[in-house]
Amino acid sequence: MRVDTLSQVAQLYHTSKPTKTTKSNGIASMGRDQVQISSAGRDFQIAKQAVAEASDIREDKVAEVKSKIDSGNYNVDTGDFASVLLSAYNNKL
């Protein structure tokens, strides 16, 4: 863009300087914007915070399985394991 054409554009639109804008009384008298969150929204925020604070690992279950493994009483039925594995594989397809 050539700088010297800027004056030609200003002449085309009959402007030479930017004009000042004034505030409308209607907008200024309305005050600030407000947001109101419904009770369902507040409940959702509380539930979301509770889930975020909860642990992803169930320590009681982990401790139970660890104690069974350490004592040698942890047995896995291979048939059940295979069926769960195959169903998970089929769901991914």
Side-chain angles (χ1 to χ4, degrees), residues 3-4 8 15 18 26-27 35 39 41 51 56 64 70 77 83 90:
V3 177
D4 60 334
Q8 292 173 352
T15 60
I27 294 173
V35 175
S39 63
V51 168
D56 291 340
E64 179 184 344
D70 290 341
D77 185 14
S83 65
N90 289 332

Side-chain angles (χ1 to χ4, degrees), residues 29-71:
S29 65
M30 290 177 63
R32 301 181 76 178
D33 291 338
Q34 294 181 349
V35 175
Q36 293 181 354
I37 300 174
S38 67
S39 63
R42 281 189 227 112
D43 292 343
F44 178 75
Q45 286 178 338
I46 291 169
K48 186 177 176 183
Q49 183 179 7
V51 168
E53 291 173 358
S55 176
D56 291 340
I57 300 171
R58 294 180 56 186
E59 298 294 334
D60 57 332
K61 294 288 184 179
V62 172
E64 179 184 344
V65 171
K66 278 185 179 181
S67 67
K68 283 184 179 182
I69 291 172
D70 290 341
S71 67

